[in-house]
Amino acid sequence: MNLRVYEKTRYQNIYRHKKNKNYIIMISKPVKTSIATINEEKIFRIDDAVKIRDNPKIRIQKGAEIKCSDNFDSLWIKYIYCCKYELKLAYNTVKQKEKIYTRYLEGKITKKVVKLTKEDIALFVDNLICSDKQKNHIIKELKAFFNYLIKEEVIITSPMINIKKYKVDKAEMKFLTPEQLKKLITTLDQEIINNKNIQQKTKAYRVKILVLITFSLGDRIGETRALTYNCFLKELCLVKIMHSINYDSSSLNFLSNTKNYHSQREVSVTEKLINEIDQYKTYLIKEVNLPVKDNDLIFFNYSTNRPYSDTTLRKQFYEFLEKAKIPKIRMYDLRHTYVATMMQEGKQLYHISERLGHSDYSTTVNQYGHLSNKVKREIAEITDKYI
């Protein structure tokens, strides 16, 4: 800071131009830089300068001019700020990006981004000490980062073009067969009807509703946990999926953004499913004496005034899988169960891609294409009966 031109103010990191009387803010994070304008206008009010200094969200949303060097680390931090405050990506999505950066990228790419080539990136990833599966995650995140730089006009073309992912054997996808799903629901129904213990009965009912919703919608478990009763529109037989549960335990806000913009969607549901949820709500009010409201989360713990944690729901889910004597799967695998069931019923992937909240049909094919091929083989084998 040139103190011949600018003078200190009583506010830390805020200086005023001696002649023009406008303010300039010195920022050390995410990068060491200075902000002299906002919305292309100089800053003349000290209150505005303080707000810009103290709130990174304002700096981005209001268009504060952040001068950033073209080294990889500085631009990556700016990219993460964009993911949080402009794109408003889900907490877990941003956390994964930050984890990959800290573990594999921070301080490792020293060449200026404008000079990076495909060969530079390919060699860098190839030399990383991690599994091929992890290298594929890194490639995916780097592609998103360089696409952001193109959008910001930092670079013209991405060095990630034509960089292929490593061949990795896909882990076997777990899901319940229709028979196993029926067995699980039957076990839950028996527990609800026969168990005299109100706590155990309520636990079984909670797991049943969780299974019915996630299997019926094919949504992500975080989206299921973020649903309220009034998300289900009975007259239209629709459910609005607008949020995911907030996995940030330090946040006072229970809801977070969905994985991406395309994950916000309306999904057709049956009247039967809506009736099941209405009956569960009535049960909580009349038999458990809970003050349930329409805008309450369906999976809300009224004892703690917080949503049921992922750990609690998972533990209860596993308990009834064991009672039903069926293979252990994750709650998220109910989404896979939905897809596998639809494939077995002869539905094509493009029919269900939008329902899953995928931004691109290719995502659905990459994740579930092998299930489609399996069904096609089974159909082909059926013809053996007639040969």
Side-chain angles (χ1 to χ4, degrees):
M1 174 59 62
N2 187 351
L3 294 180
R4 293 181 180 178
V5 179
Y6 291 92
E7 60 185 0
K8 291 182 180 180
T9 68
R10 63 189 182 92
Y11 298 94
Q12 187 177 8
N13 296 333
I14 298 178
Y15 298 82
R16 187 170 68 170
H17 196 286
K18 290 181 179 179
K19 182 179 179 181
N20 299 331
K21 306 301 181 185
N22 63 292
Y23 294 96
I24 185 169
I25 304 103
M26 302 303 296
I27 302 294
S28 58
K29 293 182 179 180
V31 291
K32 192 172 182 180
T33 187
S34 62
I35 299 174
T37 64
I38 188 164
N39 293 335
E40 299 182 355
E41 293 183 2
K42 290 182 178 180
I43 304 164
F44 287 99
R45 295 181 68 247
I46 188 64
D47 290 347
D48 291 338
V50 172
K51 286 179 182 178
I52 295 167
R53 181 198 65 181
D54 295 342
N55 195 328
K57 188 172 181 179
I58 291 178
R59 292 205 293 271
I60 291 173
Q61 286 185 339
K62 299 296 183 182
E65 183 184 346
I66 299 178
K67 296 177 182 178
C68 187
S69 60
D70 58 356
N71 70 70
F72 182 90
D73 291 325
S74 297
L75 289 168
W76 181 275
I77 297 172
K78 190 178 178 185
Y79 164 63
I80 292 298
Y81 266 73
C82 175
C83 290
K84 286 181 180 179
Y85 301 116
E86 281 190 338
L87 301 177
K88 297 183 179 180
L89 299 185
Y91 171 78
N92 273 8
T93 303
V94 177
K95 188 176 179 182
Q96 177 67 20
K97 292 177 185 292
E98 291 176 330
K99 186 177 178 181
I100 284 178
Y101 170 71
T102 303
R103 185 173 295 181
Y104 299 107
L105 304 176
E106 187 175 10
K108 303 287 179 60
I109 301 177
T110 56
K111 203 171 184 180
K112 291 185 177 181
V113 293
V114 293
K115 295 184 178 180
L116 284 171
T117 64
K118 172 188 170 183
E119 290 71 23
D120 293 329
I121 298 295
L123 182 63
F124 169 77
V125 174
D126 201 45
N127 288 334
L128 288 172
I129 303 174
C130 60
S131 67
D132 287 350
K133 182 178 179 181
Q134 190 61 32
K135 288 179 181 179
N136 286 340
H137 284 306
I138 294 167
I139 289 172
K140 177 184 174 184
E141 295 301 343
L142 284 172
K143 283 183 177 179
F145 168 64
F146 284 110
N147 286 340
Y148 159 79
L149 294 185
I150 290 173
K151 185 179 176 183
E152 292 293 306
E153 298 182 351
V154 176
I155 58 176
I156 298 173
T157 57
S158 171
M160 303 301 298
I161 294 175
N162 296 328
I163 289 186
K164 294 181 180 179
K165 290 187 176 182
Y166 293 78
K167 289 185 178 180
V168 178
D169 293 333
K170 284 192 175 182
E172 184 179 354
M173 186 175 285
K174 292 184 178 181
F175 53 86
L176 298 179
T177 65
E179 294 75 21
Q180 290 169 337
L181 184 64
K182 286 179 183 177
K183 192 175 179 182
L184 174 59
I185 293 174
T186 300
T187 301
L188 290 165
D189 280 335
Q190 289 172 349
E191 192 79 19
I192 293 166
I193 294 168
N194 300 326
N195 203 310
K196 305 260 184 193
N197 185 311
I198 194 73
Q199 290 182 337
Q200 188 67 14
K201 182 177 180 178
T202 304
K203 187 199 301 181
Y205 213 153
R206 184 183 309 122
V207 173
K208 178 187 175 182
I209 295 300
L210 183 141
V211 170
L212 290 179
I213 291 176
T214 308
F215 169 70
S216 299
L217 304 184
D219 62 343
R220 303 172 180 90
I221 189 64
E223 294 170 346
T224 295
R225 292 176 57 205
L227 290 172
T228 58
Y229 294 99
N230 57 10
C231 285
F232 291 84
L233 308 177
K234 191 167 187 176
E235 302 79 14
L236 303 174
C237 282
L238 287 174
V239 58
K240 288 187 174 184
I241 300 174
M242 304 303 292
H243 299 282
S244 181
I245 204 71
N246 192 349
Y247 288 95
D248 183 1
S249 57
S250 64
S251 175
L252 297 177
N253 188 1
F254 300 146
L255 300 181
S256 179
N257 301 304
T258 51
K259 188 170 184 179
N260 53 56
Y261 173 77
H262 298 276
S263 295
Q264 295 182 4
R265 60 202 186 276
E266 291 183 351
V267 174
S268 297
V269 292
T270 63
E271 192 173 334
K272 188 174 182 180
L273 175 65
I274 295 176
N275 288 336
E276 287 279 1
I277 295 168
D278 283 344
Q279 288 169 21
Y280 174 63
K281 179 185 170 187
T282 302
Y283 164 81
L284 293 179
I285 295 172
K286 293 188 175 179
E287 295 196 38
V288 191
N289 297 318
L290 293 177
V292 182
K293 300 185 180 107
D294 285 344
N295 60 351
D296 285 351
L297 292 172
I298 295 173
F299 303 102
F300 190 77
N301 188 340
Y302 291 88
S303 300
T304 61
N305 284 323
R306 293 186 66 84
Y308 281 103
S309 68
D310 193 62
T311 303
T312 299
L313 291 174
R314 191 187 313 120
K315 184 178 178 182
Q316 295 174 1
F317 179 65
Y318 288 163
E319 177 185 334
F320 289 103
L321 286 178
E322 190 175 342
K323 283 190 176 183
K325 297 180 180 178
I326 57 179
K328 189 175 180 180
I329 64 167
R330 304 170 302 164
M331 291 189 292
Y332 190 91
D333 292 329
L334 291 169
R335 177 174 166 92
H336 301 332
T337 300
Y338 165 78
V339 177
T341 305
M342 293 301 104
M343 297 304 299
Q344 289 172 349
E345 291 289 331
K347 305 302 179 188
Q348 296 296 322
L349 286 177
Y350 61 80
H351 288 144
I352 60 178
S353 179
E354 186 177 348
R355 189 178 181 92
L356 295 173
H358 285 162
S359 57
D360 195 320
Y361 172 58
S362 62
T363 305
T364 315
V365 174
N366 290 337
Q367 287 192 11
Y368 299 106
H370 64 290
L371 291 180
S372 178
N373 293 333
K374 182 180 177 183
V375 171
K376 288 175 183 176
R377 284 197 301 273
E378 289 173 353
I379 292 171
E381 288 166 4
I382 292 173
T383 61
D384 284 352
K385 295 179 182 179
Y386 304 96
I387 297 177

